[in-house]
Every structure is written in structure tokens, then in C-alpha cells.
Amino acid sequence: MIDRTLEKTIFGRLNTGRAIVIMGARQVGKTTLLQKVFSGNEDVLWLSGDSPDVVKLLESPSAERLRLYFGNKRTVVLDEAQLIPDIGLKLKLITDYIKDVQLIATGSSSFELANRLNEPLTGRKWEYQLFPLSFSEMVKHHGLLTEKRSLMHRLVFGYYPDVVTHTGDEKTILRLLTDSYLYKDILMLENIKKSEKLVK
């Protein structure tokens, strides 16, 4: 697994009384990063904004109800947080009233999530942006010479983790990323009706 520079920073911010928010495009490795940070730790509750039951749980939460749901877990990771209505207020509730729980939220639609979080979580969060792999991360992974030899290839296909780790399938993976994720996020953000125009 390729080490991410942000990993040490996340470790250093745990249990400091603030939520940790990690934003970035889909498939840059936000969930993978957190799975590595909490590897072997059974004290983590993983929730996803993609799951209807999680959305329902957070429809009209109270601190007591959430405390029961979290149980003895000391860390709660909420993936795809931008899909939860009024997410900023709900994260504020957890941060203010369930102080013994470390809250971590990730979001793919960075603009959307940032707009929903900024006011409610002012002074209550550490916020980070995760990008695709960097040149320095790849140098640490397999050495400067190897990465310099791969530079022209990287300039064409980029540093998405899936692209880097699946040599030979770069075009297929990039096509899937654009079709499944990037266009979807752009269409959702701008409410564009005729998506075929965007593809053209």
C-alpha cells in the first residue's frame, strides 16, 4: 500500500476535541487512507451517506439517540457526508454533545460539503484536502529513479491511485472515473439537464 503524507497529520489530530473533515474528488483514496489509519482498531464505527439507513438515522437525531447508536465506539467515520441533508448541523451536534467520540467526515463533492460545514463547524473542525498521489509519495514508495522513468507516463495518465496500481488498464479506469464520478458530480453541482452536451 502506498503511504500518504496526510496519514501522519490525521494521527496527530485525533482526539483533540474537533471533528476531522477530509475532502477530495472521488477515488483519490480517502476511505483507503482512513482504513490504514485505523487498521486493527475495533473501536471504530463506519457509516456511509450512501446507505439509506444512515440517512434515516440522521434525519432528526438527538444526542441521546446518537449515543445509543454509537455504543462504545470511540471513533465514528462518516463517508460521503455531503449526501446527508443539513450535515453541518448534525456534525455540530455530535461534536458539541458527544465529546468522547472522535468524529471524522469525508466528502467527494468538496464545494458542496465545504458550503454545508463552514458555518456550523466553525472552530470545531480540522479540515484537509486529499489529492491524487503526488510525485513525492511515489518516490517514497519505489524510489526516485523508477518514478523519474515513469514521469512521461504519469503526465499522460495522472496519479489516481487506481490508475497507478493497474498498469495497462489506465484508459479504461480513467473512462470509468469520468463517466461514473466526475460527470455525476458536475451535473449534481450545476443542475445541468442535458448531460450529453457536457460529454461533447
Side-chain angles (χ1 to χ4, degrees):
M1 187 178 285
I2 300 165
D3 291 332
R4 304 305 303 265
T5 305
L6 190 56
E7 185 179 337
K8 287 182 182 176
T9 306
I10 300 299
F11 264 122
R13 295 302 192 191
L14 291 173
N15 305 310
T16 56
R18 296 185 182 203
I20 296 172
V21 179
I22 304 172
M23 292 187 277
R26 293 174 188 269
Q27 299 295 304
V28 294
K30 299 181 297 296
T31 304
T32 303
L33 169 67
L34 291 175
Q35 285 170 344
K36 187 165 184 244
V37 167
F38 295 111
S39 175
N41 186 342
E42 300 294 325
D43 209 19
V44 181
L45 178 63
W46 297 85
L47 303 172
S48 175
D50 281 324
S51 300
D53 59 334
V54 172
V55 175
K56 190 167 179 59
L57 167 79
L58 294 172
E59 269 178 0
S60 52
S62 66
E64 279 309 309
R65 184 178 170 207
L66 289 173
R67 205 184 297 274
L68 285 171
Y69 192 81
F70 297 163
N72 294 323
K73 303 294 186 184
R74 297 281 66 94
T75 303
V76 174
V77 176
L78 180 57
D79 233 347
E80 300 298 344
Q82 78 279 356
L83 299 174
I84 309 286
D86 299 319
I87 187 60
L89 295 172
K90 287 154 187 180
L91 296 185
K92 178 180 182 289
L93 175 71
I94 297 168
T95 305
D96 285 353
Y97 295 101
I98 313 178
K99 295 184 181 293
D100 54 343
V101 167
Q102 172 64 64
L103 178 64
I104 302 175
T106 74
S108 297
S109 298
S110 297
F111 295 121
E112 190 177 354
L113 185 60
N115 289 337
R116 292 180 181 187
L117 293 183
N118 278 338
E119 190 177 334
L121 283 184
T122 300
R124 296 176 175 87
K125 67 177 171 17
W126 301 110
E127 187 176 304
Y128 301 100
Q129 185 81 32
L130 186 66
F131 297 99
L133 294 163
S134 68
F135 180 80
S136 64
E137 287 169 334
M138 291 304 296
V139 166
K140 285 178 186 172
H141 182 65
H142 56 57
L144 178 61
L145 183 59
T146 303
E147 193 53 31
K148 283 183 84 171
R149 286 175 175 165
S150 303
L151 189 56
M152 291 309 294
H153 185 79
R154 305 284 191 232
L155 289 172
V156 173
F157 295 108
Y159 275 99
Y160 268 91
D162 218 17
V163 171
V164 169
T165 56
H166 291 88
T167 306
D169 289 326
E170 294 90 348
K171 288 183 180 179
T172 304
I173 291 167
L174 285 172
R175 175 76 60 194
L176 288 170
L177 281 169
T178 54
D179 290 351
S180 301
Y181 298 112
L182 299 181
Y183 289 143
K184 179 182 173 187
D185 283 347
I186 292 168
L187 292 171
M188 193 183 300
L189 183 67
E190 297 295 341
N191 294 317
I192 297 170
K193 302 296 182 197
K194 295 186 178 179
S195 57
E196 71 278 0
K197 302 265 186 197
L198 181 65
V199 175
K200 286 179 185 176

